[in-house]
Amino acid sequence: MIEFINFYLFPALTIGSIYALGAVGISMIFGILRFAHFAHGDLMTLGTYGILAAAAILPVNPLLLIPFGMVLTIVSALLVDRLFYQPLRALPTIYTVISSFGIALVFRSLVQLIWGSENQVFSTGVKPPLVLFDTIRVSVLHLQAIVATAIIAVLLHFFLSRTRTGRSMRAVADDPELAEVSGLDTAKVVRWTWIIGAALAAIAGAFAALNTSAHPNLGWNLLLPMFAAAILGGIGKPMGAMAGGFLIGLAEELSSYHWIGDDALISPSYKTAVAFICMIALLIFRPQGLFKGRLL
Amino acid sequence: MELTGLFFYLVSLLILGGIYALLCLALNIQWGMGGLFNAGIAGFYGVGAYSSAILTTAASSRHLGGYGLPVPLGLVGAAILAGLAGWAVAKICVRLKSDYLAMASIGIAEILRLVIVNEDWLTNGSLGVSRIPRPLGDLATGRMSDVVFLGFVWLVVLLVFVASSRLYDSPWGRSLRAIRDNETSAAAAGKNIEKFRIQTFVIGCAVMGIAGGLSAHYFRFLSPTATDPLLVTFLVWVMLMAGGSGNNKGAILGALAIWTLWSVTEIFTNRLPPEWATRSSFIRMLLVGLLLQVVLQRFRAGLIPEKSPPVRFKEEGPEPDR
């Protein structure tokens, strides 16, 4: 039991936090701008490398440098939206999907061009895990990721339910035409969607890179489970996407626990497949997601 | 010597150009005619490559095989298996907004990649399948067999081109374009949208499978690391957008033009000192990514824009005044 908590539950919740933070952006962009943002994973990668670059100059805990990554992703996202997505907004949204597919490659080749394509780590050496109640051992990073995600979830909830901008965002996600004729500032809503999505992408990227290592495919490899999480939570429901992220993370990690007998239930090399199967099952049985999101 | 080198360079350029032309024609069926987004081209390509390789190689203890079928049958197998994979995705996703199909197609490509890497009994894992035969292998040996293969590839391209053009002009193709351009009115006219879309997706995936099979027979060796899946998918999209989506000639022209651009710049970048050579390949990628943006914004119609054939009425009495 303790072994299960230490080696499966905490890592699963950590992966879940990463997916949750990424999926919020995907879900909001899909809900408000109406397209699946294929460059979101690579936006995460970009943020991660921004933090790495800052870490090379400032020798402090990389978590303190996350704002550098956030600034980089926010600026890139707003710029890309302005230059590449906005001109296509009058067309069917599938053109924007194609465009974002290309932007994903642009982000990645920029990262490779500037920072090279080798694996990079933030810090070397093994940190001793935190021991709670003599039995539960959890790595400091995992705890940081889970707590940070919980705090962000609370903040996001208050932002969406209490502030004017947050409420406008939900209104646009629910019914863009109605929101527009009610006089909501759609341009501002779009801007905030990118700012929040990009900022959370940088945080997710930082935790993902700290958890393993930073490499140019880091974000792209996380894209599929993040899509699954966004669909699971219901498109346009940021809190749903958070829950979806944790559920997909748990499903992925726990599928390789030896539930029956001594072998892993599903070989760990097929972890990514679990997210995909969740996504397919959802699309067949409940495409609007668990929390009644929009079906676009 | 210099001339023969150039000649064989041209041959290899045109062989791969032909394989890309097939992929482009396939995507043109899916996207150009049907308006379906496929982000998993490399997955179907890979299925085709492995199917044809396994069906045609001699027995080996390291992977499934030993069927030793002739190459054309291997290609048929590739088409069927890739088509089946496409059918599974399409069946689930076509009733939803096209974005969902895009997400699921990436997913299936990823799963197929995992299967290819992990299932050693089937594909020999990362060590790959070797000694894949070439079609008409007895006709020529050495480098001349490349020339024979070139003919074979372009014969397939021609066949697919003719079939695809016939499809475009057929009532089936017209219904498809009607669905693409206005789903609601096509549904009102009694078209079974789901059925048409599934058929389109499956046909496209089958052709992608054939392209994959041809690439396996060309390289004679297949391993999961041979191609960057994302690059293949992406290049095909750029080719079709630049060439003219909806136009089969445009698809072929786009494939040849972008592939030539891509390979010729590679010659120059390979001459650079090593540290610059790797960097410049990223610059190339970056520029292609930006090229797609320019095409999307300014030249959406492509080099040869789509031109719908005139509607012909049967010669039965006088035409009604319209």
PDB file of all heavy atoms in Angstrom, chain A residues 30 34 36 38 83 91 93 98-99 105 108 113 220 270 283 296, chain B residues 37 95 97 99 103 106-107 111 119 230 234 279 282 293 297 300:
ATOM      1  N   PHE A  30      -9.676  26.388 -27.106  1.00  0.00           N
ATOM      2  CA  PHE A  30     -10.689  25.664 -27.886  1.00  0.00           C
ATOM      3  C   PHE A  30     -12.078  26.257 -27.630  1.00  0.00           C
ATOM      4  O   PHE A  30     -12.879  26.456 -28.545  1.00  0.00           O
ATOM      5  CB  PHE A  30     -10.673  24.177 -27.511  1.00  0.00           C
ATOM      6  CG  PHE A  30     -11.152  23.251 -28.594  1.00  0.00           C
ATOM      7  CD1 PHE A  30     -10.878  21.890 -28.526  1.00  0.00           C
ATOM      8  CD2 PHE A  30     -11.891  23.716 -29.673  1.00  0.00           C
ATOM      9  CE1 PHE A  30     -11.305  21.021 -29.512  1.00  0.00           C
ATOM     10  CE2 PHE A  30     -12.324  22.850 -30.664  1.00  0.00           C
ATOM     11  CZ  PHE A  30     -12.039  21.510 -30.576  1.00  0.00           C
ATOM     12  N   ARG A  34     -12.191  28.610 -30.521  1.00  0.00           N
ATOM     13  CA  ARG A  34     -12.813  27.574 -31.346  1.00  0.00           C
ATOM     14  C   ARG A  34     -11.843  26.749 -32.182  1.00  0.00           C
ATOM     15  O   ARG A  34     -12.193  26.290 -33.255  1.00  0.00           O
ATOM     16  CB  ARG A  34     -13.855  28.200 -32.298  1.00  0.00           C
ATOM     17  CG  ARG A  34     -14.988  28.900 -31.617  1.00  0.00           C
ATOM     18  CD  ARG A  34     -16.044  27.906 -31.242  1.00  0.00           C
ATOM     19  NE  ARG A  34     -17.184  28.503 -30.604  1.00  0.00           N
ATOM     20  CZ  ARG A  34     -17.297  28.652 -29.276  1.00  0.00           C
ATOM     21  NH1 ARG A  34     -16.338  28.266 -28.481  1.00  0.00           N
ATOM     22  NH2 ARG A  34     -18.376  29.156 -28.756  1.00  0.00           N
ATOM     23  N   ALA A  36      -8.432  23.757 -32.001  1.00  0.00           N
ATOM     24  CA  ALA A  36      -7.509  22.928 -31.233  1.00  0.00           C
ATOM     25  C   ALA A  36      -6.112  23.465 -31.459  1.00  0.00           C
ATOM     26  O   ALA A  36      -5.610  23.462 -32.582  1.00  0.00           O
ATOM     27  CB  ALA A  36      -7.598  21.473 -31.686  1.00  0.00           C
ATOM     28  N   PHE A  38      -2.583  23.244 -31.699  1.00  0.00           N
ATOM     29  CA  PHE A  38      -1.559  22.208 -31.797  1.00  0.00           C
ATOM     30  C   PHE A  38      -0.188  22.679 -31.344  1.00  0.00           C
ATOM     31  O   PHE A  38       0.707  21.880 -31.167  1.00  0.00           O
ATOM     32  CB  PHE A  38      -1.479  21.687 -33.239  1.00  0.00           C
ATOM     33  CG  PHE A  38      -2.426  20.571 -33.495  1.00  0.00           C
ATOM     34  CD1 PHE A  38      -3.784  20.799 -33.499  1.00  0.00           C
ATOM     35  CD2 PHE A  38      -1.976  19.283 -33.689  1.00  0.00           C
ATOM     36  CE1 PHE A  38      -4.670  19.770 -33.710  1.00  0.00           C
ATOM     37  CE2 PHE A  38      -2.855  18.246 -33.902  1.00  0.00           C
ATOM     38  CZ  PHE A  38      -4.209  18.494 -33.912  1.00  0.00           C
ATOM     39  N   LEU A  83       0.106  37.748 -35.453  1.00  0.00           N
ATOM     40  CA  LEU A  83       0.686  37.651 -36.795  1.00  0.00           C
ATOM     41  C   LEU A  83       0.067  36.529 -37.621  1.00  0.00           C
ATOM     42  O   LEU A  83      -0.100  36.660 -38.829  1.00  0.00           O
ATOM     43  CB  LEU A  83       2.194  37.409 -36.696  1.00  0.00           C
ATOM     44  CG  LEU A  83       3.038  38.580 -36.211  1.00  0.00           C
ATOM     45  CD1 LEU A  83       4.484  38.150 -36.087  1.00  0.00           C
ATOM     46  CD2 LEU A  83       2.917  39.749 -37.172  1.00  0.00           C
ATOM     47  N   LEU A  91     -11.874  32.778 -41.616  1.00  0.00           N
ATOM     48  CA  LEU A  91     -12.022  31.506 -42.344  1.00  0.00           C
ATOM     49  C   LEU A  91     -12.527  30.428 -41.408  1.00  0.00           C
ATOM     50  O   LEU A  91     -12.549  30.618 -40.191  1.00  0.00           O
ATOM     51  CB  LEU A  91     -10.657  31.090 -42.891  1.00  0.00           C
ATOM     52  CG  LEU A  91     -10.013  32.037 -43.880  1.00  0.00           C
ATOM     53  CD1 LEU A  91      -8.555  31.670 -44.071  1.00  0.00           C
ATOM     54  CD2 LEU A  91     -10.735  31.968 -45.203  1.00  0.00           C
ATOM     55  N   THR A  93     -12.351  27.517 -38.877  1.00  0.00           N
ATOM     56  CA  THR A  93     -11.282  27.431 -37.878  1.00  0.00           C
ATOM     57  C   THR A  93     -10.240  26.372 -38.205  1.00  0.00           C
ATOM     58  O   THR A  93      -9.139  26.418 -37.673  1.00  0.00           O
ATOM     59  CB  THR A  93     -11.852  27.114 -36.483  1.00  0.00           C
ATOM     60  OG1 THR A  93     -12.700  25.979 -36.605  1.00  0.00           O
ATOM     61  CG2 THR A  93     -12.594  28.277 -35.921  1.00  0.00           C
ATOM     62  N   ILE A  98      -4.429  24.221 -38.886  1.00  0.00           N
ATOM     63  CA  ILE A  98      -3.279  23.943 -39.751  1.00  0.00           C
ATOM     64  C   ILE A  98      -2.149  24.917 -39.434  1.00  0.00           C
ATOM     65  O   ILE A  98      -0.983  24.534 -39.303  1.00  0.00           O
ATOM     66  CB  ILE A  98      -3.677  24.050 -41.232  1.00  0.00           C
ATOM     67  CG1 ILE A  98      -4.782  23.044 -41.546  1.00  0.00           C
ATOM     68  CG2 ILE A  98      -2.481  23.817 -42.141  1.00  0.00           C
ATOM     69  CD1 ILE A  98      -5.333  23.186 -42.944  1.00  0.00           C
ATOM     70  N   SER A  99      -2.524  26.177 -39.276  1.00  0.00           N
ATOM     71  CA  SER A  99      -1.518  27.190 -38.975  1.00  0.00           C
ATOM     72  C   SER A  99      -0.810  26.864 -37.662  1.00  0.00           C
ATOM     73  O   SER A  99       0.417  26.938 -37.571  1.00  0.00           O
ATOM     74  CB  SER A  99      -2.199  28.556 -38.910  1.00  0.00           C
ATOM     75  OG  SER A  99      -1.341  29.492 -38.367  1.00  0.00           O
ATOM     76  N   LEU A 105       5.923  23.593 -35.211  1.00  0.00           N
ATOM     77  CA  LEU A 105       7.233  23.290 -35.783  1.00  0.00           C
ATOM     78  C   LEU A 105       8.160  24.500 -35.711  1.00  0.00           C
ATOM     79  O   LEU A 105       9.360  24.357 -35.486  1.00  0.00           O
ATOM     80  CB  LEU A 105       7.057  22.844 -37.228  1.00  0.00           C
ATOM     81  CG  LEU A 105       8.022  21.751 -37.628  1.00  0.00           C
ATOM     82  CD1 LEU A 105       7.592  20.439 -37.031  1.00  0.00           C
ATOM     83  CD2 LEU A 105       8.131  21.655 -39.112  1.00  0.00           C
ATOM     84  N   ARG A 108       9.478  24.731 -32.215  1.00  0.00           N
ATOM     85  CA  ARG A 108      10.464  23.696 -31.936  1.00  0.00           C
ATOM     86  C   ARG A 108      11.782  23.981 -32.627  1.00  0.00           C
ATOM     87  O   ARG A 108      12.848  23.841 -32.041  1.00  0.00           O
ATOM     88  CB  ARG A 108       9.951  22.336 -32.361  1.00  0.00           C
ATOM     89  CG  ARG A 108      10.939  21.275 -31.956  1.00  0.00           C
ATOM     90  CD  ARG A 108      10.432  19.910 -32.160  1.00  0.00           C
ATOM     91  NE  ARG A 108       8.980  19.921 -32.185  1.00  0.00           N
ATOM     92  CZ  ARG A 108       8.273  18.934 -32.637  1.00  0.00           C
ATOM     93  NH1 ARG A 108       8.870  17.875 -33.079  1.00  0.00           N
ATOM     94  NH2 ARG A 108       6.972  19.006 -32.641  1.00  0.00           N
ATOM     95  N   LEU A 113      17.334  25.652 -32.644  1.00  0.00           N
ATOM     96  CA  LEU A 113      18.305  26.562 -33.236  1.00  0.00           C
ATOM     97  C   LEU A 113      19.071  27.307 -32.151  1.00  0.00           C
ATOM     98  O   LEU A 113      20.286  27.460 -32.207  1.00  0.00           O
ATOM     99  CB  LEU A 113      17.545  27.550 -34.135  1.00  0.00           C
ATOM    100  CG  LEU A 113      18.365  28.430 -35.037  1.00  0.00           C
ATOM    101  CD1 LEU A 113      19.116  27.585 -36.025  1.00  0.00           C
ATOM    102  CD2 LEU A 113      17.443  29.388 -35.780  1.00  0.00           C
ATOM    103  N   TRP A 220       5.700  18.546 -27.210  1.00  0.00           N
ATOM    104  CA  TRP A 220       4.948  17.821 -28.232  1.00  0.00           C
ATOM    105  C   TRP A 220       4.507  16.465 -27.691  1.00  0.00           C
ATOM    106  O   TRP A 220       3.385  16.030 -27.943  1.00  0.00           O
ATOM    107  CB  TRP A 220       5.783  17.652 -29.496  1.00  0.00           C
ATOM    108  CG  TRP A 220       5.078  16.873 -30.543  1.00  0.00           C
ATOM    109  CD1 TRP A 220       5.229  15.552 -30.819  1.00  0.00           C
ATOM    110  CD2 TRP A 220       4.080  17.353 -31.437  1.00  0.00           C
ATOM    111  NE1 TRP A 220       4.382  15.187 -31.822  1.00  0.00           N
ATOM    112  CE2 TRP A 220       3.662  16.264 -32.228  1.00  0.00           C
ATOM    113  CE3 TRP A 220       3.476  18.605 -31.640  1.00  0.00           C
ATOM    114  CZ2 TRP A 220       2.682  16.382 -33.214  1.00  0.00           C
ATOM    115  CZ3 TRP A 220       2.502  18.718 -32.623  1.00  0.00           C
ATOM    116  CH2 TRP A 220       2.113  17.624 -33.395  1.00  0.00           C
ATOM    117  N   TYR A 270       3.549   1.613 -23.074  1.00  0.00           N
ATOM    118  CA  TYR A 270       2.298   2.003 -23.728  1.00  0.00           C
ATOM    119  C   TYR A 270       1.518   3.040 -22.929  1.00  0.00           C
ATOM    120  O   TYR A 270       0.327   3.215 -23.141  1.00  0.00           O
ATOM    121  CB  TYR A 270       1.431   0.771 -23.987  1.00  0.00           C
ATOM    122  CG  TYR A 270       1.866  -0.017 -25.189  1.00  0.00           C
ATOM    123  CD1 TYR A 270       2.487  -1.240 -25.059  1.00  0.00           C
ATOM    124  CD2 TYR A 270       1.664   0.490 -26.467  1.00  0.00           C
ATOM    125  CE1 TYR A 270       2.908  -1.955 -26.165  1.00  0.00           C
ATOM    126  CE2 TYR A 270       2.084  -0.212 -27.574  1.00  0.00           C
ATOM    127  CZ  TYR A 270       2.709  -1.432 -27.417  1.00  0.00           C
ATOM    128  OH  TYR A 270       3.119  -2.124 -28.513  1.00  0.00           O
ATOM    129  N   LEU A 283     -14.745  10.231 -26.950  1.00  0.00           N
ATOM    130  CA  LEU A 283     -15.321  10.713 -28.200  1.00  0.00           C
ATOM    131  C   LEU A 283     -16.476   9.823 -28.634  1.00  0.00           C
ATOM    132  O   LEU A 283     -17.419  10.285 -29.271  1.00  0.00           O
ATOM    133  CB  LEU A 283     -14.257  10.767 -29.299  1.00  0.00           C
ATOM    134  CG  LEU A 283     -13.186  11.830 -29.118  1.00  0.00           C
ATOM    135  CD1 LEU A 283     -12.192  11.800 -30.255  1.00  0.00           C
ATOM    136  CD2 LEU A 283     -13.797  13.211 -29.011  1.00  0.00           C
ATOM    137  N   LEU A 296     -18.237  21.058 -29.691  1.00  0.00           N
ATOM    138  CA  LEU A 296     -18.116  21.982 -30.827  1.00  0.00           C
ATOM    139  C   LEU A 296     -18.275  21.237 -32.140  1.00  0.00           C
ATOM    140  O   LEU A 296     -17.975  20.064 -32.216  1.00  0.00           O
ATOM    141  CB  LEU A 296     -16.763  22.666 -30.777  1.00  0.00           C
ATOM    142  CG  LEU A 296     -16.604  23.586 -29.580  1.00  0.00           C
ATOM    143  CD1 LEU A 296     -15.162  23.979 -29.411  1.00  0.00           C
ATOM    144  CD2 LEU A 296     -17.452  24.822 -29.755  1.00  0.00           C
TER     145      LEU A 296
ATOM    146  N   PHE B  37      -9.185  17.021 -41.812  1.00  0.00           N
ATOM    147  CA  PHE B  37      -7.825  17.296 -41.371  1.00  0.00           C
ATOM    148  C   PHE B  37      -7.189  16.000 -40.884  1.00  0.00           C
ATOM    149  O   PHE B  37      -7.736  15.328 -40.023  1.00  0.00           O
ATOM    150  CB  PHE B  37      -7.852  18.314 -40.230  1.00  0.00           C
ATOM    151  CG  PHE B  37      -6.493  18.771 -39.795  1.00  0.00           C
ATOM    152  CD1 PHE B  37      -5.972  19.959 -40.275  1.00  0.00           C
ATOM    153  CD2 PHE B  37      -5.734  18.032 -38.914  1.00  0.00           C
ATOM    154  CE1 PHE B  37      -4.722  20.386 -39.886  1.00  0.00           C
ATOM    155  CE2 PHE B  37      -4.474  18.459 -38.518  1.00  0.00           C
ATOM    156  CZ  PHE B  37      -3.978  19.641 -39.007  1.00  0.00           C
ATOM    157  N   ARG B  95     -18.165  12.438 -37.109  1.00  0.00           N
ATOM    158  CA  ARG B  95     -19.413  13.134 -36.771  1.00  0.00           C
ATOM    159  C   ARG B  95     -19.136  14.380 -35.936  1.00  0.00           C
ATOM    160  O   ARG B  95     -20.007  15.204 -35.711  1.00  0.00           O
ATOM    161  CB  ARG B  95     -20.367  12.178 -36.059  1.00  0.00           C
ATOM    162  CG  ARG B  95     -19.877  11.741 -34.717  1.00  0.00           C
ATOM    163  CD  ARG B  95     -20.441  10.386 -34.304  1.00  0.00           C
ATOM    164  NE  ARG B  95     -19.591   9.788 -33.315  1.00  0.00           N
ATOM    165  CZ  ARG B  95     -19.744   9.976 -32.004  1.00  0.00           C
ATOM    166  NH1 ARG B  95     -20.743  10.699 -31.568  1.00  0.00           N
ATOM    167  NH2 ARG B  95     -18.918   9.424 -31.153  1.00  0.00           N
ATOM    168  N   LYS B  97     -16.643  17.902 -34.834  1.00  0.00           N
ATOM    169  CA  LYS B  97     -15.919  18.987 -35.498  1.00  0.00           C
ATOM    170  C   LYS B  97     -14.548  18.458 -35.949  1.00  0.00           C
ATOM    171  O   LYS B  97     -13.961  17.609 -35.281  1.00  0.00           O
ATOM    172  CB  LYS B  97     -15.737  20.113 -34.482  1.00  0.00           C
ATOM    173  CG  LYS B  97     -15.215  21.420 -35.031  1.00  0.00           C
ATOM    174  CD  LYS B  97     -15.192  22.432 -33.877  1.00  0.00           C
ATOM    175  CE  LYS B  97     -14.856  23.838 -34.271  1.00  0.00           C
ATOM    176  NZ  LYS B  97     -13.601  24.128 -34.794  1.00  0.00           N
ATOM    177  N   ASP B  99     -11.656  19.367 -35.748  1.00  0.00           N
ATOM    178  CA  ASP B  99     -10.535  19.430 -34.804  1.00  0.00           C
ATOM    179  C   ASP B  99     -10.355  18.108 -34.061  1.00  0.00           C
ATOM    180  O   ASP B  99      -9.239  17.707 -33.740  1.00  0.00           O
ATOM    181  CB  ASP B  99     -10.750  20.529 -33.764  1.00  0.00           C
ATOM    182  CG  ASP B  99     -10.876  21.886 -34.403  1.00  0.00           C
ATOM    183  OD1 ASP B  99     -11.661  21.995 -35.357  1.00  0.00           O
ATOM    184  OD2 ASP B  99     -10.216  22.829 -33.946  1.00  0.00           O
ATOM    185  N   MET B 103      -7.032  15.727 -33.668  1.00  0.00           N
ATOM    186  CA  MET B 103      -6.426  15.240 -32.429  1.00  0.00           C
ATOM    187  C   MET B 103      -6.319  13.720 -32.457  1.00  0.00           C
ATOM    188  O   MET B 103      -5.299  13.153 -32.083  1.00  0.00           O
ATOM    189  CB  MET B 103      -7.283  15.659 -31.234  1.00  0.00           C
ATOM    190  CG  MET B 103      -7.295  17.137 -30.996  1.00  0.00           C
ATOM    191  SD  MET B 103      -8.075  17.499 -29.415  1.00  0.00           S
ATOM    192  CE  MET B 103      -9.459  18.457 -29.902  1.00  0.00           C
ATOM    193  N   ILE B 106      -3.528  12.346 -34.734  1.00  0.00           N
ATOM    194  CA  ILE B 106      -2.208  12.404 -34.086  1.00  0.00           C
ATOM    195  C   ILE B 106      -2.082  11.246 -33.131  1.00  0.00           C
ATOM    196  O   ILE B 106      -1.042  10.572 -33.058  1.00  0.00           O
ATOM    197  CB  ILE B 106      -2.046  13.706 -33.289  1.00  0.00           C
ATOM    198  CG1 ILE B 106      -1.733  14.833 -34.230  1.00  0.00           C
ATOM    199  CG2 ILE B 106      -0.933  13.571 -32.275  1.00  0.00           C
ATOM    200  CD1 ILE B 106      -0.888  15.891 -33.607  1.00  0.00           C
ATOM    201  N   GLY B 107      -3.163  10.981 -32.398  1.00  0.00           N
ATOM    202  CA  GLY B 107      -3.142   9.898 -31.427  1.00  0.00           C
ATOM    203  C   GLY B 107      -2.878   8.564 -32.082  1.00  0.00           C
ATOM    204  O   GLY B 107      -2.003   7.816 -31.646  1.00  0.00           O
ATOM    205  N   ILE B 111       0.162   5.917 -31.431  1.00  0.00           N
ATOM    206  CA  ILE B 111      -0.023   4.527 -31.006  1.00  0.00           C
ATOM    207  C   ILE B 111       0.666   3.583 -31.985  1.00  0.00           C
ATOM    208  O   ILE B 111       1.359   2.641 -31.584  1.00  0.00           O
ATOM    209  CB  ILE B 111      -1.531   4.161 -30.965  1.00  0.00           C
ATOM    210  CG1 ILE B 111      -2.292   5.103 -30.061  1.00  0.00           C
ATOM    211  CG2 ILE B 111      -1.730   2.713 -30.529  1.00  0.00           C
ATOM    212  CD1 ILE B 111      -1.848   5.134 -28.661  1.00  0.00           C
ATOM    213  N   GLU B 119       6.786  -3.771 -30.315  1.00  0.00           N
ATOM    214  CA  GLU B 119       6.446  -5.163 -30.606  1.00  0.00           C
ATOM    215  C   GLU B 119       7.551  -5.814 -31.439  1.00  0.00           C
ATOM    216  O   GLU B 119       7.476  -5.871 -32.660  1.00  0.00           O
ATOM    217  CB  GLU B 119       5.083  -5.244 -31.316  1.00  0.00           C
ATOM    218  CG  GLU B 119       3.932  -4.685 -30.497  1.00  0.00           C
ATOM    219  CD  GLU B 119       3.771  -5.358 -29.138  1.00  0.00           C
ATOM    220  OE1 GLU B 119       3.868  -6.593 -29.069  1.00  0.00           O
ATOM    221  OE2 GLU B 119       3.549  -4.641 -28.140  1.00  0.00           O
ATOM    222  N   LEU B 230       6.866  13.572 -37.673  1.00  0.00           N
ATOM    223  CA  LEU B 230       6.244  14.886 -37.737  1.00  0.00           C
ATOM    224  C   LEU B 230       6.668  15.627 -38.986  1.00  0.00           C
ATOM    225  O   LEU B 230       5.881  16.341 -39.610  1.00  0.00           O
ATOM    226  CB  LEU B 230       6.631  15.685 -36.496  1.00  0.00           C
ATOM    227  CG  LEU B 230       5.694  16.850 -36.270  1.00  0.00           C
ATOM    228  CD1 LEU B 230       4.319  16.357 -35.909  1.00  0.00           C
ATOM    229  CD2 LEU B 230       6.233  17.751 -35.202  1.00  0.00           C
ATOM    230  N   PHE B 234       4.226  17.066 -41.798  1.00  0.00           N
ATOM    231  CA  PHE B 234       4.244  18.501 -41.996  1.00  0.00           C
ATOM    232  C   PHE B 234       4.599  18.875 -43.429  1.00  0.00           C
ATOM    233  O   PHE B 234       3.944  19.719 -44.045  1.00  0.00           O
ATOM    234  CB  PHE B 234       5.250  19.110 -41.027  1.00  0.00           C
ATOM    235  CG  PHE B 234       5.227  20.581 -41.064  1.00  0.00           C
ATOM    236  CD1 PHE B 234       4.158  21.260 -40.534  1.00  0.00           C
ATOM    237  CD2 PHE B 234       6.235  21.281 -41.667  1.00  0.00           C
ATOM    238  CE1 PHE B 234       4.087  22.621 -40.607  1.00  0.00           C
ATOM    239  CE2 PHE B 234       6.196  22.647 -41.734  1.00  0.00           C
ATOM    240  CZ  PHE B 234       5.115  23.323 -41.195  1.00  0.00           C
ATOM    241  N   ARG B 279      22.583  23.188 -37.320  1.00  0.00           N
ATOM    242  CA  ARG B 279      21.803  24.407 -37.095  1.00  0.00           C
ATOM    243  C   ARG B 279      20.970  24.765 -38.320  1.00  0.00           C
ATOM    244  O   ARG B 279      19.805  25.107 -38.214  1.00  0.00           O
ATOM    245  CB  ARG B 279      22.725  25.592 -36.803  1.00  0.00           C
ATOM    246  CG  ARG B 279      23.523  25.404 -35.556  1.00  0.00           C
ATOM    247  CD  ARG B 279      23.265  26.497 -34.578  1.00  0.00           C
ATOM    248  NE  ARG B 279      23.421  25.945 -33.239  1.00  0.00           N
ATOM    249  CZ  ARG B 279      23.430  26.679 -32.147  1.00  0.00           C
ATOM    250  NH1 ARG B 279      23.285  27.971 -32.232  1.00  0.00           N
ATOM    251  NH2 ARG B 279      23.548  26.122 -30.973  1.00  0.00           N
ATOM    252  N   PHE B 282      17.683  23.233 -38.814  1.00  0.00           N
ATOM    253  CA  PHE B 282      16.595  23.825 -38.044  1.00  0.00           C
ATOM    254  C   PHE B 282      16.099  25.096 -38.712  1.00  0.00           C
ATOM    255  O   PHE B 282      14.904  25.390 -38.694  1.00  0.00           O
ATOM    256  CB  PHE B 282      17.044  24.120 -36.609  1.00  0.00           C
ATOM    257  CG  PHE B 282      17.575  22.909 -35.905  1.00  0.00           C
ATOM    258  CD1 PHE B 282      18.718  22.977 -35.146  1.00  0.00           C
ATOM    259  CD2 PHE B 282      16.931  21.689 -36.024  1.00  0.00           C
ATOM    260  CE1 PHE B 282      19.212  21.849 -34.502  1.00  0.00           C
ATOM    261  CE2 PHE B 282      17.412  20.558 -35.399  1.00  0.00           C
ATOM    262  CZ  PHE B 282      18.555  20.640 -34.636  1.00  0.00           C
ATOM    263  N   GLN B 293       2.683  29.522 -43.206  1.00  0.00           N
ATOM    264  CA  GLN B 293       1.885  30.659 -42.750  1.00  0.00           C
ATOM    265  C   GLN B 293       1.619  31.631 -43.899  1.00  0.00           C
ATOM    266  O   GLN B 293       0.515  32.132 -44.052  1.00  0.00           O
ATOM    267  CB  GLN B 293       2.602  31.392 -41.613  1.00  0.00           C
ATOM    268  CG  GLN B 293       3.058  30.510 -40.481  1.00  0.00           C
ATOM    269  CD  GLN B 293       1.926  29.755 -39.824  1.00  0.00           C
ATOM    270  OE1 GLN B 293       0.799  30.228 -39.767  1.00  0.00           O
ATOM    271  NE2 GLN B 293       2.205  28.551 -39.354  1.00  0.00           N
ATOM    272  N   GLN B 297      -2.016  32.564 -45.523  1.00  0.00           N
ATOM    273  CA  GLN B 297      -2.576  33.917 -45.494  1.00  0.00           C
ATOM    274  C   GLN B 297      -2.721  34.538 -46.867  1.00  0.00           C
ATOM    275  O   GLN B 297      -3.689  35.247 -47.125  1.00  0.00           O
ATOM    276  CB  GLN B 297      -1.703  34.809 -44.619  1.00  0.00           C
ATOM    277  CG  GLN B 297      -1.900  34.524 -43.143  1.00  0.00           C
ATOM    278  CD  GLN B 297      -1.124  35.478 -42.273  1.00  0.00           C
ATOM    279  OE1 GLN B 297      -0.815  36.586 -42.673  1.00  0.00           O
ATOM    280  NE2 GLN B 297      -0.800  35.046 -41.072  1.00  0.00           N
ATOM    281  N   ARG B 300      -3.795  31.035 -50.513  1.00  0.00           N
ATOM    282  CA  ARG B 300      -4.519  29.853 -50.066  1.00  0.00           C
ATOM    283  C   ARG B 300      -4.881  28.943 -51.233  1.00  0.00           C
ATOM    284  O   ARG B 300      -5.039  27.746 -51.074  1.00  0.00           O
ATOM    285  CB  ARG B 300      -5.763  30.240 -49.282  1.00  0.00           C
ATOM    286  CG  ARG B 300      -5.758  29.698 -47.902  1.00  0.00           C
ATOM    287  CD  ARG B 300      -6.993  30.014 -47.125  1.00  0.00           C
ATOM    288  NE  ARG B 300      -7.712  31.175 -47.555  1.00  0.00           N
ATOM    289  CZ  ARG B 300      -7.442  32.411 -47.157  1.00  0.00           C
ATOM    290  NH1 ARG B 300      -6.461  32.638 -46.332  1.00  0.00           N
ATOM    291  NH2 ARG B 300      -8.155  33.419 -47.581  1.00  0.00           N
TER     292      ARG B 300
END
